[in-house]
Amino acid sequence: MECAVMSDGQNAIGVPAAAVYALGMQRSDVTRDDGTWVGLSLDVQDRHQPGLCVFTAGAQLLVSQMSQPVLLAVVDEQHEGVDFWRTDGYRSFVPPLRADAGRALAGSPERWAHRFAQYLIDSPGSPLHEGRWLLSCESPLRRWRHADASHAEYWSSMLVDGHPNGYIDWFLHAHSWEVLPLRPMPDADDSRVKAYRKQAREGTLPPILLWWVSGLDCHLILDGHARFAAAVAESVEPPLLQLHRTVPRDDLATRTEEAVGFYEDELARFAELRAIHGPAVPDGAATTGPQLVRLLHDLNTAEQPTWAWPLPGGEKQWRRIAREVADSQNWPCT
């Protein structure tokens, strides 16, 4: 996990105070070579520390929002999973989404992505910090559902149980990236869920906004807990928009040059083989061309590790925060 320099300010319980910066962002659509929309690339500038921030202290993690603890986590010694304690401190930065907006934007993840991007950029409580991000409808979570499993069965199994504490099982769900709600999931008969169930049946359900956090190897629900519950209750695939970091702009030019250099070297290698063995040897364009396209596409889409900031006071401070938020209960077990 990458770390960066952070501010020194702290609040009353010792969580570093969130610095507020003016935020600039450039957006651009990311498509495949056939024109299929993949996601929205966000190039964020001038926010050095986000309001929704990951801090690290050894094997311990802290997620805080505007200086309030949201999630504490500790990786177990065998690196098979993460014990977590979730507070009631998380607040979504997305305003309530009206049914008429769902109908107007139904079937258009591109338009939803632009709307959610605006919420992300406008709110000081979002996870955006400077760098390049992707807001995409192509979540890896969709890859693992077997044809004989219903949507209700599959998506229920991907939710991490437990409140206030629970366990993210890396051993059982290796590389399938579970979904961790940042607040308790509402029941199927909750009034909000009932309203969204109608939209789920109609195909007008707004997307659930997820944030992939590499230190947890898990997706956090930033917005859409009730919408997720509605999709499960109706056994339909939930529409998703996933947020994650991509290759930093400082590395983009270098890695683009490397990809183009690889392409040119491969063409030169095939040319040498053709000079020796004759025209029966292909010129290499049929294989190296698609390789170059994939490499360049990955520079705009592939997940990069989530940034985490060192927690001032280190593990001692993390344990103090854990004692306070867990209200002296025996967590984590020692």
Side-chain angles (χ1 to χ4, degrees), residues 42-220:
L42 312 177
D43 192 342
V44 179
Q45 302 172 8
D46 302 324
R47 178 181 273 181
H48 306 299
Q49 179 184 320
L52 184 60
C53 190
V54 181
F55 296 95
T56 182
Q60 290 81 26
L61 295 175
L62 166 69
V63 180
S64 74
Q65 185 181 39
M66 304 305 293
S67 307
Q68 297 301 313
V70 169
L71 184 77
L72 291 105
V74 55
V75 179
D76 65 28
E77 293 182 357
Q78 291 75 34
H79 294 273
E80 294 180 347
V82 181
D83 286 295
F84 69 85
W85 184 283
R86 181 175 55 200
T87 75
D88 292 320
Y90 179 71
R91 298 293 180 268
S92 175
F93 48 85
V94 177
L97 301 174
R98 296 171 56 88
D100 55 356
R103 289 189 292 270
L105 302 183
S108 179
E110 302 98 316
R111 295 174 67 191
W112 274 119
H114 279 277
R115 175 169 290 205
F116 277 106
Q118 197 62 51
Y119 298 142
L120 285 160
I121 201 71
D122 287 344
S123 173
S126 89
L128 287 187
H129 56 74
E130 62 183 6
R132 296 175 68 248
W133 300 74
L134 182 70
L135 190 56
S136 176
C137 62
E138 294 192 348
S139 171
L141 291 165
R142 293 195 173 97
R143 302 172 190 165
W144 305 102
R145 187 178 74 88
H146 296 293
D148 57 350
S150 69
H151 284 295
E153 179 184 2
Y154 173 72
W155 290 102
S156 294
S157 73
M158 297 305 290
L159 280 172
V160 180
D161 293 327
H163 184 75
N165 60 312
Y167 185 72
I168 303 170
D169 194 331
W170 290 348
F171 183 79
L172 181 63
H173 290 271
H175 304 298
S176 59
W177 303 303
E178 293 177 282
V179 177
L180 177 61
L182 283 178
R183 56 175 179 251
M185 291 294 292
D187 296 328
D189 58 356
D190 179 274
S191 60
R192 297 166 300 161
V193 176
K194 286 182 178 179
Y196 282 129
R197 289 182 68 170
K198 182 175 185 294
Q199 291 182 261
R201 292 192 297 270
E202 295 173 346
T204 62
L205 190 66
I208 292 91
L209 180 61
L210 304 177
W211 174 31
W212 182 66
V213 177
S214 61
L216 299 171
D217 200 16
C218 190
H219 296 80
L220 304 183

Side-chain angles (χ1 to χ4, degrees), residues 237-278:
E237 182 174 83
L240 304 175
L241 282 174
Q242 174 182 310
L243 179 71
H244 62 257
R245 289 186 60 248
T246 57
V247 173
R249 71 179 74 88
D250 293 343
D251 296 340
L252 185 60
T254 299
R255 294 178 65 171
T256 299
E257 289 179 4
E258 290 174 351
V260 173
F262 170 79
Y263 170 75
E264 293 174 342
D265 290 345
E266 283 294 284
L267 289 182
R269 184 173 68 87
F270 274 96
E272 291 176 1
L273 291 173
R274 284 171 63 86
I276 296 172
H277 301 289

Side-chain angles (χ1 to χ4, degrees), residues 311-333:
L311 181 66
E315 296 183 37
K316 182 178 179 180
Q317 179 65 10
W318 185 92
R319 288 192 294 270
R320 189 176 80 82
I321 297 172
R323 284 195 302 270
E324 294 193 15
V325 301
D327 195 23
S328 301
Q329 299 183 49
N330 186 26
W331 186 91
C333 296

Side-chain angles (χ1 to χ4, degrees), residues 30-39 138 143 293 297-298 301:
V30 178
T31 60
R32 299 193 184 281
D33 55 348
D34 63 359
T36 303
W37 188 83
V38 172
E138 294 192 348
R143 302 172 190 165
V293 170
H297 179 76
D298 286 347
T301 59

